[in-house]
Amino acid sequence: MASVPGLSKKNHFYSSLRLKRYWVYVCISLFSVIVPFIRLGDGQVFLISFEHRQIHLLGKIYSAQEMYLLPLLVIFLFIFIFFITSMLGRVWCGWGCPQTIFRTILRDLIETKLLGLRTKIANKQRPTPPTITNKLKKILALILFAPVPIMSMAVLLFYFVPPLEFLHYLRDPEDHALLLGIWMALSAVVFLDITWVQERFCIYLCPYARVQSVLFDEHTLNPIYDTHRGGAIYDETDTKIPTLPQKRDPKNECVSCNHCVLVCPTHIDIRKGMQLECINCLECVDACTSTMGKLGKKSLINWSSSQASATQSPVKFWRAKTLGYVGVLLVVVGALVVGTLKKAPMILDITHGGQLYAVHNQFVDNSYLFLFQNTSNKAHAYTFNIDDPNVSILRPTGTLTIEPQGKLKVVVILRMPLQKAKEAYLAHNVTQAKRGILPITIKAYSMDDPNIVLEQKTIFIVPHF
């Protein structure tokens, strides 16, 4: 990012990556809070309800029996992460991760701006003097920050419990102790993570940091220090060179201000090269831009790729790897769209009874357990028939009314005259028929909606003749 000589601190902030990152934080936070309250069609935009055994996706409601879309969603998530990481590096960590957002709220907003525990945001690595006043400010900072994890974990739970239901449950805490316990436990874990673990989570615990190295290539965006202009700070063994760059060669532009080091939240020196601890917050880019801008020069640290920095050419975003990821994402999205359009308004599971058959008064009876599920948001009256004219329905005798998103188990008894069963047994030469197994098809449908029709194959068992 180019610098303008004589640029004021105020104007530098307005053009900085830090301000852009703050706006991204605000947008992500607002988006996360608003989405659970948005309803489309019959359901919410996104909800995973364990209580109701449902998933809401773009207004459509899927029951536990319709989880065929879940693997596609997981595949999409992972491929999208691979795509973004190969193109933009660890940008999620610095620009979208809740860990980074919460640390910014506590460290930069509350501790630095409100309470003055640090002189400025750029002094992240300088410890605060352990005075009584500072200790009291630390305690006050924790108190001011405490509502943040509590509210954020409530928002997280909104994606599993609808917001209105969640707020209703708060009125009866004794009846919903498990939910409230999960809420408080998550809030406590996040509070301790942000206030005590801090950036050590990003460095030592975050699994994303461990997989990023295999996703990077020479075209991946990262904070890159220009050693050609600034001069090498570390030798080939990653040992810091004791002599300052400008003392080794007056043409080296790095003034050894160390602002890029002091501002780093994970306490690394980006001039050493790409490191596992870097979260792409680009604070070092802003720091160097400010310092070099005062000298009328461009920043020595830029958000670029190693290939673009070495060849002084534009970053190559679209290449075989990223195009491949896009292709896979399009296939997965297409499968999701097809799966969504083919959503069944009714589900029928048929289980043959424990007893193979029963013979009563020259009739053969088979018992079944039918599980009807109405997956729509309207009540429907269902009935069914059999494709074999020799098979009749002994029970149930009427229609079955099922509430929206409701389920109904029904014991079904089908009957066939013994003589017809013998004729069917002898007429079939297939192996199944020789064992007394006759294939039949159940056609279930809604009495009030001709578009709801479902056919299910099952068997009718007859004696051996």
Side-chain angles (χ1 to χ4, degrees):
M1 184 170 64
S3 304
V4 179
L7 190 68
S8 67
K9 290 183 178 180
K10 184 176 181 180
N11 290 333
H12 171 69
F13 174 71
Y14 287 144
S15 62
S16 67
L17 292 167
R18 178 184 295 165
L19 179 61
K20 295 180 178 65
R21 199 172 69 253
Y22 287 170
W23 277 115
V24 173
Y25 292 169
V26 172
C27 292
I28 289 176
S29 301
L30 290 176
F31 178 81
S32 302
V33 172
I34 293 173
V35 164
F37 291 90
I38 299 177
R39 294 186 63 87
L40 290 176
D42 296 333
Q44 295 181 212
V45 174
F46 183 77
L47 174 73
I48 301 177
S49 176
F50 293 105
E51 181 180 3
H52 302 293
R53 295 179 176 87
Q54 296 175 346
I55 286 184
H56 294 214
L57 183 62
L58 299 178
K60 292 195 174 184
I61 302 175
Y62 299 87
S63 65
Q65 285 78 18
E66 298 177 286
M67 293 295 102
Y68 54 86
L69 291 181
L70 192 57
L72 293 176
L73 291 174
V74 174
I75 292 172
F76 178 86
L77 176 62
F78 276 94
I79 297 300
F80 183 75
I81 291 174
F82 296 164
F83 167 66
I84 291 297
T85 304
S86 64
M87 180 179 285
L88 304 179
R90 205 174 168 183
V91 67
W92 162 253
C93 299
W95 290 68
C97 180
Q99 170 86 12
T100 304
I101 296 175
F102 294 156
R103 281 295 297 160
T104 300
I105 293 173
L106 174 61
R107 181 193 59 233
D108 296 350
L109 177 60
I110 297 177
E111 292 184 348
T112 304
K113 288 296 184 181
L114 294 182
L115 301 180
L117 277 168
R118 297 176 183 83
T119 56
K120 53 185 179 180
I121 294 175
N123 294 340
K124 290 183 176 64
Q125 294 198 25
R126 289 176 180 167
T128 57
T131 63
I132 296 297
T133 302
N134 285 342
K135 289 180 179 179
L136 292 175
K137 287 182 178 180
K138 277 283 188 181
I139 295 174
L140 180 58
L142 298 179
I143 295 173
L144 293 175
F145 177 72
V148 175
I150 294 175
M151 292 187 293
S152 63
M153 290 304 100
V155 171
L156 174 63
L157 291 175
F158 287 168
Y159 288 87
F160 301 92
V161 180
L164 296 181
E165 289 186 22
F166 184 88
L167 297 176
H168 177 72
Y169 292 161
L170 295 182
R171 300 176 184 176
D172 302 307
E174 294 181 358
D175 295 334
H176 303 92
L178 178 61
L179 175 63
L180 298 180
I182 293 173
W183 181 23
M184 291 299 103
L186 289 174
S187 302
V189 169
V190 172
F191 181 81
L192 291 174
D193 171 45
I194 302 302
T195 59
W196 180 58
V197 180
Q198 302 175 4
E199 278 77 20
R200 288 187 290 269
F201 178 87
C202 307
I203 299 172
Y204 302 111
L205 301 177
C206 180
Y208 182 44
R210 269 63 195 166
V211 302
Q212 64 173 344
S213 58
V214 299
L215 300 174
F216 285 6
D217 58 34
E218 67 274 13
H219 300 289
T220 302
L221 281 181
N222 284 298
I224 303 292
Y225 169 70
D226 191 344
T227 55
H228 299 289
R229 286 180 51 214
I233 307 298
Y234 294 82
D235 59 23
E236 295 179 354
T237 62
D238 289 338
T239 302
K240 192 170 185 179
I241 301 173
T243 309
L244 298 179
Q246 289 191 331
K247 287 188 175 181
R248 283 185 273 117
D249 187 347
K251 294 181 180 180
N252 290 333
E253 298 181 23
C254 180
V255 296
S256 303
C257 64
N258 283 334
H259 290 164
C260 58
V261 178
L262 292 174
V263 78
C264 180
T266 57
H267 304 271
I268 65 172
D269 188 345
I270 196 62
R271 298 172 299 178
K272 191 176 182 179
M274 183 55 201
Q275 297 157 69
L276 181 70
E277 298 84 356
C278 179
I279 61 172
N280 270 26
C281 66
L282 308 182
E283 289 276 16
C284 53
V285 177
D286 281 337
C288 192
T289 299
S290 177
T291 298
M292 298 306 292
K294 296 173 184 178
L295 302 176
K297 299 179 180 180
K298 294 182 179 181
S299 175
L300 296 173
I301 305 174
N302 295 281
W303 196 28
S304 182
S305 69
S306 57
Q307 176 69 17
S309 180
T311 60
Q312 297 298 309
S313 59
V315 177
K316 187 177 180 181
F317 290 105
W318 301 108
R319 48 197 189 273
K321 179 190 292 187
T322 54
L323 291 174
Y325 286 138
V326 171
V328 176
L329 287 174
L330 290 176
V331 171
V332 175
V333 170
L336 284 170
V337 171
V338 172
T340 302
L341 294 176
K342 290 186 175 181
K343 182 184 183 302
M346 174 182 64
I347 296 176
L348 173 60
D349 289 332
I350 300 176
T351 304
H352 198 279
Q355 186 178 6
L356 295 180
Y357 60 87
V359 179
H360 300 290
N361 300 323
Q362 299 301 310
F363 289 98
V364 180
D365 294 344
N366 277 211
S367 62
Y368 305 82
L369 181 64
F370 283 21
L371 174 60
F372 287 90
Q373 183 170 350
N374 178 9
T375 62
S376 70
N377 270 9
K378 295 180 181 179
H380 290 290
Y382 300 98
T383 188
F384 61 94
N385 55 39
I386 317 300
D387 68 337
D388 190 332
N390 296 318
V391 179
S392 60
I393 303 172
L394 190 62
R395 59 176 295 191
T397 57
T399 59
L400 307 170
T401 301
I402 306 177
E403 296 300 315
Q405 300 297 322
K407 299 179 181 180
L408 181 62
K409 287 184 178 180
V410 181
V411 175
V412 175
I413 298 179
L414 302 183
R415 169 165 287 185
M416 177 183 285
L418 190 60
Q419 183 59 34
K420 295 294 183 181
K422 183 177 181 179
E423 293 175 1
Y425 177 84
L426 296 176
H428 286 77
N429 292 322
V430 296
T431 305
Q432 286 186 337
K434 291 181 179 179
R435 296 200 304 265
I437 300 175
L438 304 179
I440 60 174
T441 301
I442 308 293
K443 181 180 179 181
Y445 54 93
S446 171
M447 299 290 290
D448 47 37
D449 189 342
N451 295 319
I452 301 179
V453 181
L454 178 66
E455 290 189 354
Q456 191 89 340
K457 294 186 180 299
T458 184
I459 58 173
F460 191 92
I461 301 177
V462 299
H464 292 272
F465 296 97

